[in-house]
Each structure stands twice: as C-alpha cells, then as structure tokens.
Amino acid sequence: MKIEKNTAVTLRYTISDKQGKILEQSDEPMAYLHGGYGNTFAKIEEALDGQEAGYRVTLELQPQDAYGLRDESLVQTIPKTQFPPGVKVGGQLRGQGEDGQSHVFTVLKVKGDKVILDGNHPFAGKALRFNVSVTEVRPATEEEVTHGHVHGAHGHHH
Ligand code: ZN
C-alpha cells in the first residue's frame, strides 16, 4: 500500500553530516503517523508521500528543516554548586531555558566552579543527510489517528 494521510509508516534511518560521518542510526525501526501530525520532519513526509514499503531515499535537510538553527541564548553558565554531584561533560539534564520552556541541556564544559550548558539539540544548526528506508506501510487505526501517533511495537507506548 502507498503512503498517504493516516497510514502508519515503519522505517529505518541513518543520520549523517554533510561529510558523511554517521551521527545517529536507528537500532530499532521507528514508526510514525503520516499526514502532517508532526511526528517527523515535513520534508521527510513530503519525500515519502505516495511511496511504498521497500522505498529508499537520501535527503539533505537544511537546519531549518530539521532540528532548527542554534539559539545561543540556550547556552548558559551556572555555578557548579547548583548541580548534582558527578556532573560530566556530555551528560544531559532537563531544565528550563530563559524562554520558560523545558529543554534538554547538554553539559558542554566544566570550568573551575562553573558549568556551561547547551540547551540546543545536538543537531541544531547542522545540515543533515537522512538515509531512509521504508519497511512497512499499513492503515492507521482510528485510535492512532485520534491520538496523532502510532501505537504498537515501534510506536508510542502508553
Ligand atoms: Zn496513543
């Protein structure tokens, strides 16, 4: 069956940078609800629309079409004393940005008694290459359409 609005699409993907270095690879297939539900990037949906299981495509996405541009206001320096012990560079924690929104912060640097955090997605500001291969297409259930996401093995659990 063809990928169209309200189909559940299962795929495997690899994300690499412009130089071809692999940044992320799906160990498990991932499933999303097709049709503008915001489950995946619009450009990916666009490329897959009307295709079937077995389809493979390589897409180059600009930062604004993927994880967005970097927001330097999300880079924060805070005293180490505000931190749980054992803070390490590369570690992640959830906190509030200056915009009042919840962000996942990555520890960039520990400098003396200060910790530098970055609330940007690690792929923000990067042009990315997505290798996508569609493994399964099925009609979504009514419940999935109501929820706006896919259930089951590779979908949303709740
Ligand atoms: Zn649900």
Side-chain angles (χ1 to χ4, degrees):
M1 92 171 273
K2 282 191 173 19
I3 297 173
E4 56 183 21
K5 190 169 174 66
N6 299 336
T7 52
V9 181
T10 306
L11 50 83
R12 287 185 172 275
Y13 67 92
T14 305
I15 303 176
S16 40
D17 63 15
K18 272 196 296 201
Q19 287 72 41
K21 184 182 158 221
I22 292 175
L23 303 173
E24 187 178 314
Q25 213 162 4
S26 58
D27 300 327
E28 291 283 316
M30 98 67 182
Y32 81 94
L33 180 61
H34 188 87
Y37 294 93
N39 287 185
T40 187
F41 300 126
K43 293 272 180 189
I44 292 182
E45 290 208 20
E46 222 171 84
L48 298 184
D49 199 65
Q51 303 297 340
E52 298 178 43
Y55 181 69
R56 283 165 182 271
V57 67
T58 300
L59 294 166
E60 308 259 357
L61 296 195
Q62 292 309 305
Q64 56 269 34
D65 296 323
Y67 292 92
L69 300 168
R70 281 187 56 80
D71 177 356
E72 295 310 323
S73 78
L74 290 175
V75 177
Q76 300 184 351
T77 304
I78 65 157
K80 207 173 167 183
T81 49
Q82 285 187 14
F83 257 80
V87 174
K88 285 198 191 92
V89 172
Q92 291 188 323
L93 56 149
R94 185 164 279 281
Q96 226 176 43
E98 278 169 19
D99 54 6
Q101 304 253 15
S102 170
H103 293 274
V104 173
F105 287 87
T106 305
V107 179
L108 276 190
K109 236 187 243 175
V110 181
K111 221 161 87 188
D113 57 356
K114 297 224 171 4
V115 179
I116 301 165
L117 296 175
D118 186 359
N120 286 288
H121 188 280
F123 298 163
K126 287 195 162 101
L128 299 170
R129 188 176 296 163
F130 285 77
N131 282 291
V132 177
S133 107
V134 178
T135 58
E136 196 197 328
V137 184
R138 62 162 173 86
T141 65
E142 244 177 77
E143 195 190 35
E144 287 171 324
V145 172
T146 309
H147 286 198
H149 56 227
V150 166
H151 296 155
H154 308 301
H156 199 91
H157 298 274
H158 56 102

